[in-house]
Amino acid sequence: MDFQASILQDGSPMESLEKQLICPICLEMFSKPVVILPCQHNLCRKCANDVFQAANPYWQSRGSVISGGRFRCPSCRHEVLLDRHGVYGLQRNLLVENIIDIYKQECSSRPLKKGEHPMCKEHEDERINIYCVTCEVPTCSMCKVFGAHKDCEVAPLQTVFQGQKTELNNCISMLVAGNDRIQTIISQLEDSCRSTEENSEAAKRELCARFDALAALLEEKKLELLQRITREQGDKTGFVQGLIHQYKEQLEKSSRLVETAIQAMEETGGAAFLMAVLSLPRIVEASKGGKLEKIEHGYESMDAFSVSLDHLAEAVCALDFIPAEEDEEYFDGEEEEVEE
């Protein structure tokens, strides 16, 4: 107790202690009962309930059939999960409540120093104790009676103080609840961004697989058509090569007969000439021309194997993604939600 008294007698430790006993919501000293959050931070039960109600607008009351709710600690943003009892299920911090009692008793027993209360700048010995509603500034009684605010409307300082504190408290609660909702939307947008990236990669893989399959099918069809051209080429060149061989044999026989005929023409005697032209019937038959096959005009043409790919090229150029109606409905829903 001696150590505590020495702390309370010093002004600076008192101010430090008071800062530790300030609620982060209402910015006032904790009011009983004080609840302790799972993250070890403290809140007034009323402030905690205001934040909880703002973050869970559909939570009805203690004893409701609703399972519970959640909100974020205004000091560290830690998510606090509550059961069906709401903030009434949180544990009270009796130690902080006892410290507040001791602090208030010590403050009430200490005499009020002149510098601890704001003083009027126009009247140095007068404390600021009223509020000028017209000018919206705090002032002193002398300013109202004789000074610049004698024609203004005034109100008790404590009344205006409580009203503005209540309004500020409500604004803080709404801001905290709004921050929770914004954080939730940010988390949803981040999840949507990750899902979009994953779905995009999956769509790319599927698109590449489909084009690879189409390319493989085209390659297979190309090889099939090339084989057909090669077979036709072999048949035609084989037939022509056979004709060339036959014509070469006929040319060789004809050359020999020409030689024989020339030699016979060189004989001057009748008997010798007639003996030399015993093969005349064969020469006569050969001179009439052979009966070998011939190829038709345009036999070497391969125009029958021409392929038109214009329709495939048009189809490839016209390739596009299939529009999905549900995507349009989804985006409409998102726009409505953002507007709200």
Side-chain angles (χ1 to χ4, degrees), residues 29-44:
M29 188 171 295
F30 290 115
S31 60
K32 292 184 180 180
V34 180
V35 294
I36 181 169
L37 303 180
C39 56
Q40 303 304 313
H41 289 111
N42 298 291
L43 291 176
C44 306

Side-chain angles (χ1 to χ4, degrees), residues 1 37 46 49 56-57 96 129 146 158 160 174 178 201 203 210 247-249 290 325:
M1 291 301 296
L37 303 180
K46 180 182 180 303
N49 189 60
N56 301 270
V96 173
N129 54 3
F146 305 105
Q158 192 66 20
V160 179
M174 295 300 295
E201 293 300 324
R210 290 182 179 272
Y247 276 98
K248 283 184 178 181
E249 289 182 349
E325 296 181 357

Side-chain angles (χ1 to χ4, degrees), residues 119-329:
M119 307 300 289
C120 179
K121 294 181 179 180
E122 299 294 333
H123 309 90
E124 296 181 357
D125 295 331
E126 293 293 329
R127 295 193 306 169
I128 295 178
N129 54 3
I130 59 174
Y131 185 83
C132 178
V133 179
T134 305
C135 301
E136 297 183 348
V137 292
T139 184
C140 70
S141 302
M142 296 297 293
C143 288
K144 170 59 180 171
V145 177
F146 305 105
H149 302 283
K150 61 181 180 180
D151 297 326
C152 298
E153 180 184 357
V154 296
L157 188 66
Q158 192 66 20
T159 302
V160 179
F161 164 75
Q162 292 296 337
Q164 293 191 2
K165 267 299 182 63
T166 302
E167 182 180 0
L168 182 60
N169 183 27
N170 295 334
C171 292
I172 293 174
S173 300
M174 295 300 295
L175 287 174
V176 171
N179 291 340
D180 289 339
R181 287 193 293 270
I182 292 174
Q183 185 61 45
T184 301
I185 294 175
I186 291 175
S187 300
Q188 292 175 351
L189 293 175
E190 290 175 348
D191 294 340
S192 177
C193 185
R194 286 191 295 269
S195 299
T196 300
E197 293 176 353
E198 294 173 357
N199 295 337
S200 298
E201 293 300 324
K204 290 178 182 178
R205 291 193 296 268
E206 182 180 359
L207 183 64
C208 291
R210 290 182 179 272
F211 270 85
D212 291 342
L214 180 60
L217 181 63
L218 289 174
E219 185 67 22
E220 182 180 355
K221 192 65 177 178
K222 182 184 74 173
L223 294 177
E224 177 188 345
L225 296 179
L226 287 175
Q227 290 176 358
R228 288 175 58 183
I229 295 176
T230 302
R231 286 197 299 269
E232 184 69 14
Q233 175 188 352
D235 294 342
K236 286 190 174 184
T237 54
F239 178 72
V240 173
Q241 290 292 343
L243 289 181
I244 292 174
H245 181 70
Q246 294 177 15
Y247 276 98
K248 283 184 178 181
E249 289 182 349
Q250 183 178 357
L251 178 61
E252 186 178 351
K253 291 178 182 180
S254 177
S255 298
R256 286 197 299 267
L257 289 175
V258 168
E259 258 184 54
T260 302
I262 292 174
Q263 290 176 0
M265 289 295 293
E266 292 176 354
E267 297 291 340
T268 57
F273 176 78
L274 292 175
M275 289 295 293
V277 295
L278 292 177
S279 59
L280 182 61
R282 287 187 299 154
I283 296 173
V284 173
E285 183 67 24
S287 66
K288 293 180 180 180
K291 297 181 179 180
L292 296 177
E293 287 186 80
K294 297 180 180 179
I295 60 175
E296 298 178 357
H297 178 71
Y299 178 80
E300 67 279 1
S301 174
M302 302 294 285
D303 294 341
F305 294 92
S306 297
V307 176
S308 176
L309 299 178
D310 293 341
H311 62 289
L312 288 180
E314 294 176 357
V316 170
C317 292
L319 282 177
D320 202 350
F321 299 107
I322 301 175
E325 296 181 357
E326 57 271 14
D327 290 346
E328 298 177 358
E329 296 177 357

